[in-house]
Amino acid sequence: MSEELEKTFVSLVDASWKRYEENKRNSWMDDLLVGVVIASNVEAGYALIDLESDGVRHYLRFEKLATKERLIFQLRNLTEDLVGAKVLGRHAHVIMGYGKTTTNPSKIWQIFKDEVKSGMIDSHEPGVITFDADLTAGYVYAQVPLLLELDQYFDVDSQVNQPLIQNHIDATIHSLRKYLDGRLSMVGGV
C-alpha cells in the first residue's frame, strides 16, 4: 500500500511539473518571438538600434547601416493565458514595417496622412498597409499588422523553425519595400 501511494505521489508531482512548464512556456512565447526576430534580422545584416518593452508589448527597430533601410516590429502575445491558448491557439499581433529616408519626409507624410483622414483605410485590420513617419530622422514607413500563429514557429520543446520565420519576415519586408517604393514614386518622394 505504501509503495502504491508513493507512486501516486510521484505521478502527481510529474504531472504538476508538466503543467507548470506548459504555463511558463506559454507566458513567454512573446519573449521567444522577440529573440528570434532579433536573431533573424541581425543574421540578415540589420543592426538592432532600439528595443522597448513593457513586458507585454515589444517594440524593436533595426537598421541596415550601409543603406539606412529600417525595419520596425511591434509584437504582442495575444494568448498569454493558457486556457485561451489551448482553445484559440497561440497567437501574436505583429506589426512589421519597412522604412527609408526620403528627400522631403514632411511633404510625403502630409500626403499619406491626408489619405488616412479620408476614412478609407482601416489600419486595425490584418493585412492593411499603412504609413508612418519619423520626421526627426527623415524616415517614412510602410507597415502592416498581422496575426500570427506562434505554434508554427516553435515546437513543444521551444525549438525554432528558423527558415519559416525568416521566410515570413523576408516576404513581408519585400512586399512592404515594394509598396513603399511604389507609393513614393507616385508622390515624387524617392
Side-chain angles (χ1 to χ4, degrees):
M1 175 78 161
S2 173
E3 190 174 307
E4 205 48 45
L5 291 173
E6 288 174 15
K7 283 182 183 179
T8 300
F9 173 71
V10 168
S11 70
L12 289 170
V13 170
D14 286 344
S16 294
W17 269 106
K18 287 177 186 170
R19 287 184 194 96
Y20 174 80
E21 290 297 326
E22 186 178 23
N23 273 294
K24 192 167 133 183
R25 178 182 176 272
N26 188 68
S27 70
W28 46 258
M29 285 295 276
D30 55 337
D31 296 331
L32 278 175
L33 185 60
V34 167
V36 170
V37 166
I38 291 171
S40 292
N41 286 309
V42 167
E43 189 174 303
Y46 289 88
L48 178 65
I49 60 171
D50 192 17
L51 171 63
E52 295 177 30
S53 176
D54 64 6
V56 176
R57 288 174 177 79
H58 313 280
Y59 176 81
L60 301 98
R61 194 165 40 134
F62 299 87
E63 184 174 319
K64 195 169 265 188
L65 300 175
T67 63
K68 301 290 187 200
E69 295 172 277
R70 287 191 177 173
L71 306 179
I72 56 172
F73 291 81
Q74 296 175 37
L75 313 166
R76 183 170 48 101
N77 185 351
L78 294 176
T79 50
E80 283 207 17
D81 173 63
L82 184 59
V83 173
K86 283 189 174 233
V87 172
L88 301 171
R90 291 177 177 86
H91 298 113
H93 180 264
V94 177
I95 298 174
M96 281 190 241
Y98 169 80
K100 63 189 308 182
T101 58
T102 64
T103 54
N104 192 346
S106 297
K107 175 188 163 198
I108 307 270
W109 176 236
Q110 189 58 50
I111 293 168
F112 291 165
K113 218 163 71 170
D114 289 343
E115 289 177 0
V116 173
K117 285 182 188 174
S118 74
M120 297 184 67
I121 298 173
D122 183 356
S123 63
H124 301 291
E125 293 178 350
V128 175
I129 297 174
T130 58
F131 298 97
D132 200 356
D134 178 351
L135 298 178
T136 306
Y139 280 84
V140 291
Y141 293 89
Q143 59 189 19
V144 64
L146 299 169
L147 297 175
L148 302 177
E149 182 185 346
L150 294 176
D151 288 332
Q152 68 183 324
Y153 303 123
F154 308 103
D155 68 14
V156 293
D157 296 320
S158 300
Q159 295 299 309
V160 178
N161 186 341
Q162 183 70 28
L164 181 62
I165 290 173
Q166 191 64 57
N167 178 264
H168 287 181
I169 291 172
D170 291 347
T172 303
I173 297 306
H174 169 79
S175 297
L176 291 172
R177 179 184 297 117
K178 190 173 178 180
Y179 193 82
L180 181 61
D181 288 345
R183 292 293 290 128
L184 288 174
S185 68
M186 289 172 62
V187 298
V190 178

